């Protein structure tokens, strides 16, 4: 486990700028763009980057007037080189927070060090259960009765950083990977903008792995389905 600081984290109060990294469909990107447009999220998506040219997330970004860039991994000598280019692009654009939204690449040291505790990810299970690929299939095959979505800070180990918010959904007897994924996705779309808002609000602390919000020790970080 990495070392986590206990001092309160604050981000600039105005002009908070997000970057979203995608590889595919981009429905979570869309939920962030929509929350920002509805002023539910006091932040702007400044840039979208994809490692796949055909990612629909790139078209969604362009349709919203957001700078969108495809970075072909094969053009770089390795992961660190790729991450250094992303770091430079995002620093040049004064990005405060990076949101991974279906980004199918591991994040390496250059990006983690340039944005310490400033990278979020959404994962379609209740972590630490079912990290990695095909989380919904893993949950079904394991036979759990409850699964859900997690937004967490990104650390060097895959799907391992401190948990910011979780939402649970039931697993039904008739579920397929598709129906369970759809139920979880509804929660992802609610959870991600809310978690971004919490992180941007600042004042939170990390106690070990625990993400502790200011002055709300009695509250829950599980969003109830439909609430
Ligand atoms: C989501 O299920 C997310 O949890 C996972 O990848 C999927 C991305 O979907 N990491 P989308 O591209 O945001 O529609």
């Amino acid at each position: 486990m990495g070392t986590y600081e206990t001092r309160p984290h604050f981000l600039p109060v105005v002009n908070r700028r997000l970057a979203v990294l995608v590889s595919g469909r981009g429905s979570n990107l869309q939920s962030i763009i929509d929350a920002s447009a509805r002023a539910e999220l006091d932040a702007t998506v400044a840039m979208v980057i994809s490692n796949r040219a055909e990612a629909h997330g790139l078209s969604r970004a362009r349709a919203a007037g957001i700078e969108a860039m495809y970075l072909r991994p094969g053009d770089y000598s390795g992961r660190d080189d790729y991450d250094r280019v992303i770091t430079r692009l995002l620093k040049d654009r004064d990005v405060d927070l990076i949101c991974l939204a279906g980004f199918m690449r591991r994040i390496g040291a250059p990006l983690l060090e340039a944005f310490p505790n400033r990278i979020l990810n959404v994962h379609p299970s209740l972590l630490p259960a079912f990290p990695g690929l095909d989380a919904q299939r893993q949950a079904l095959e394991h036979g759990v009765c409850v699964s859900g979505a997690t937004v967490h800070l990104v650390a060097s180990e895959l799907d391992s950083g401190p948990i910011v918010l979780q939402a649970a959904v039931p697993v039904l007897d008739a579920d397929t990977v598709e129906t369970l994924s759809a139920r979880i996705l509804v929660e992802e779309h609610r959870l991600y903008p809310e978690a971004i808002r919490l992180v941007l609000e600042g004042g939170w602390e990390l106690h070990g792995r625990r993400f502790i919000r200011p002055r709300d020790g009695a509250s829950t970080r599980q969003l109830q389905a439909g609430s």
Side-chain angles (χ1 to χ4, degrees), residues 23-149:
S23 296
R25 181 176 58 182
S27 69
N28 278 288
L29 163 67
Q30 192 68 56
S31 77
I32 296 167
I33 292 173
D34 292 347
S36 165
R38 289 195 300 263
E40 289 166 14
L41 185 58
D42 184 16
T44 306
V45 181
M47 187 175 203
V48 171
I49 292 176
S50 177
N51 62 330
R52 294 197 181 140
E54 69 282 9
H56 185 48
L58 288 172
S59 333
R60 291 183 192 264
R62 290 186 186 116
I66 296 164
E67 182 182 13
M69 198 177 282
Y70 161 52
L71 294 181
R72 198 173 83 91
D75 290 345
Y76 303 89
S77 61
R79 191 175 76 181
D80 281 3
D81 190 23
Y82 191 83
D83 281 8
R84 270 191 285 272
V85 170
I86 295 181
T87 302
R88 204 191 58 237
L89 286 165
L90 301 190
K91 288 286 179 189
D92 283 351
R93 285 156 183 78
D94 290 327
V95 163
D96 298 301
L97 187 70
I98 301 174
C99 304
L100 309 183
F103 188 58
M104 303 299 283
R105 265 180 84 83
R106 295 286 292 274
I107 296 298
L111 207 47
L112 286 168
E113 283 162 17
F115 290 89
N117 291 321
R118 297 285 179 270
I119 308 178
L120 287 173
N121 183 43
V122 63
H123 184 77
S125 76
L126 294 176
L127 289 172
F130 315 126
L133 291 176
D134 281 332
Q136 303 94 329
R137 180 181 302 282
Q138 292 184 55
L140 265 187
E141 288 177 355
H142 197 89
V144 294
C145 301
V146 174
S147 191

Side-chain angles (χ1 to χ4, degrees), residues 120-209:
L120 287 173
N121 183 43
V122 63
H123 184 77
S125 76
L126 294 176
L127 289 172
F130 315 126
L133 291 176
D134 281 332
Q136 303 94 329
R137 180 181 302 282
Q138 292 184 55
L140 265 187
E141 288 177 355
H142 197 89
V144 294
C145 301
V146 174
S147 191
T150 302
V151 178
H152 63 94
L153 295 171
V154 172
S156 52
E157 293 298 308
L158 184 67
D159 298 331
S160 74
I163 290 166
V164 178
L165 280 179
Q166 291 188 308
V169 304
V171 180
L172 307 179
D173 288 348
D175 266 337
T176 61
V177 172
E178 288 70 32
T179 58
L180 178 59
S181 300
R183 192 174 308 116
I184 292 173
L185 196 62
V186 170
E187 298 308 311
E188 293 184 39
H189 294 165
R190 285 185 329 121
L191 209 59
Y192 213 173
E194 177 61 13
I196 294 167
R197 197 184 59 73
L198 273 180
V199 169
L200 291 177
E201 236 168 42
W204 46 272
E205 299 179 7
L206 292 175
H207 296 182
R209 291 188 43 83

